[in-house]
């Protein structure tokens, strides 16, 4: 591990161990009309922001889910899924990342955790984790769950030009929706909310990405 990598991971771990930006930052990217109060929780899930170096850039994967008619059908999201009975949230994040895109759990160093987020449309309570992989993974995509993968640099995530706003029809109502345009894809909803907190932490750090 070189000095710049060690410095970034140290600063990121320190930032994630401090009081987090939290829901107010997450809700900057919430669709119009989404309430901050928590509704009923039907299930729990975990997702993983897995960072690694790719062509001198810090990078992480997003997945394009299959069109299966479920709540997040066809959306761009972080690797992750439901926490099984008796399973720890971090274990679920690693297992799901392995099942969906082939990231080996033994190669991931968990750096910290972001603010958990309730998703009203599905009733899930999601635990987001940040992990470091010392080299680019050898992708093994599970095409029963996802269509493709997008590799996004932290530079791109932190670029203000990636934040867009449009009026969409959601639930038969016109809503103002904020989203990240990353690798040509519109990343919105819970994934955008989680990434906005991560982005805020990165932008408050003193290291050059």
């Amino acid at each position: 591990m070189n000095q710049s990598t060690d410095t970034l991971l140290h600063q990121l771990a320190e930032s994630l161990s401090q009081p987090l930006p939290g829901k107010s930052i997450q809700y900057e990217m919430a669709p119009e009309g989404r309430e901050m109060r928590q509704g009923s929780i039907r299930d729990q899930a975990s997702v993983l922001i897995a960072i690694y170096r790719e062509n001198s850039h810090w990078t992480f994967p997003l997945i394009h889910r299959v069109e299966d008619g479920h709540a997040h059908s066809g959306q761009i999201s972080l690797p992750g899924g439901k926490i099984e009975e008796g399973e720890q949230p971090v274990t679920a994040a690693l297992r799901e990342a392995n099942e969906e895109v082939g990231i080996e759990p033994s190669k991931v160093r968990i750096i910290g955790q972001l603010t958990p987020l309730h998703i009203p449309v599905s009733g899930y309570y999601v635990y987001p984790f940040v992990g470091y992989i010392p080299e680019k993974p050898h992708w093994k995509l599970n095409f029963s769950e996802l269509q493709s993968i997008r590799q996004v640099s932290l530079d791109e995530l932190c670029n203000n030009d990636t934040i867009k706003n449009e009026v969409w029809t959601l639930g038969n109502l016109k809503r103002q929706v904020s989203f990240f345009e990353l690798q040509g894809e519109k990343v919105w909803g819970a994934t955008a909310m989680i990434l906005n907190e991560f982005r805020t932490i990165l932008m408050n750090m003193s290291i050059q990405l």
Side-chain angles (χ1 to χ4, degrees):
M1 186 184 300
N2 61 42
Q3 186 174 2
S4 62
T5 295
D6 188 62
T7 300
L8 181 138
L9 296 180
H10 176 75
Q11 285 198 22
L12 190 51
E14 283 289 314
S15 297
L16 291 169
S17 69
Q18 302 299 317
L20 297 169
K23 293 187 183 299
S24 62
I25 293 297
Q26 289 179 336
Y27 272 76
E28 289 180 353
M29 296 298 289
E32 181 184 8
R34 179 168 177 155
E35 297 183 3
M36 288 191 71
R37 69 181 181 85
Q38 184 170 293
S40 61
I41 297 174
R42 294 189 289 274
D43 284 300
Q44 295 183 320
S46 295
V47 296
L48 180 66
I49 301 174
I51 64 172
Y52 53 91
R53 296 287 281 182
E54 166 77 348
N55 297 327
S56 77
H57 293 285
W58 284 102
T59 307
F60 67 96
L62 291 173
I63 60 175
H64 187 178
R65 296 205 173 274
V66 296
E67 301 279 354
D68 58 7
H70 293 160
H72 305 291
S73 172
Q75 291 185 11
I76 305 298
S77 67
L78 292 158
K82 183 178 178 180
I83 300 172
E84 301 295 344
E85 185 175 353
E87 189 175 37
Q88 293 298 313
V90 67
T91 305
L94 294 170
R95 174 182 55 76
E96 286 284 345
N98 176 250
E99 292 176 0
E100 290 181 336
V101 297
I103 293 174
E104 291 290 340
S106 63
K107 295 184 178 179
V108 182
R109 169 181 160 189
I110 295 297
I111 304 169
Q113 182 178 348
L114 295 164
T115 302
L117 176 65
H118 177 251
I119 305 177
V121 67
S122 62
Y124 273 93
Y125 190 70
V126 179
Y127 296 88
F129 292 91
V130 180
Y132 162 69
I133 308 173
E135 58 186 22
K136 179 183 175 180
H138 298 289
W139 306 118
K140 298 177 183 177
L141 306 190
N142 181 350
F143 290 108
S144 67
E145 296 189 36
L146 58 117
Q147 303 178 46
S148 60
I149 191 171
R150 297 288 186 273
Q151 298 179 74
V152 180
S153 73
L154 299 190
D155 290 333
E156 184 180 7
L157 178 64
C158 292
N159 185 337
N160 289 332
D161 291 339
T162 63
I163 298 177
K164 312 285 185 181
N165 290 275
E166 292 178 351
V167 176
W168 294 359
T169 300
L170 300 174
N172 298 319
L173 294 173
K174 297 289 186 181
R175 301 285 194 186
Q176 189 77 27
V177 176
S178 297
F179 59 91
F180 292 104
E181 191 169 63
L182 302 170
Q183 295 296 299
E185 301 285 359
K186 295 179 179 181
V187 183
W188 68 289
T191 301
M193 295 168 72
I194 290 167
L195 289 178
N196 200 47
E197 183 177 40
F198 184 51
R199 174 183 186 272
T200 300
I201 289 170
L202 292 172
M203 294 182 73
N204 287 334
M205 289 167 46
S206 61
I207 190 172
Q208 181 73 31
L209 295 176

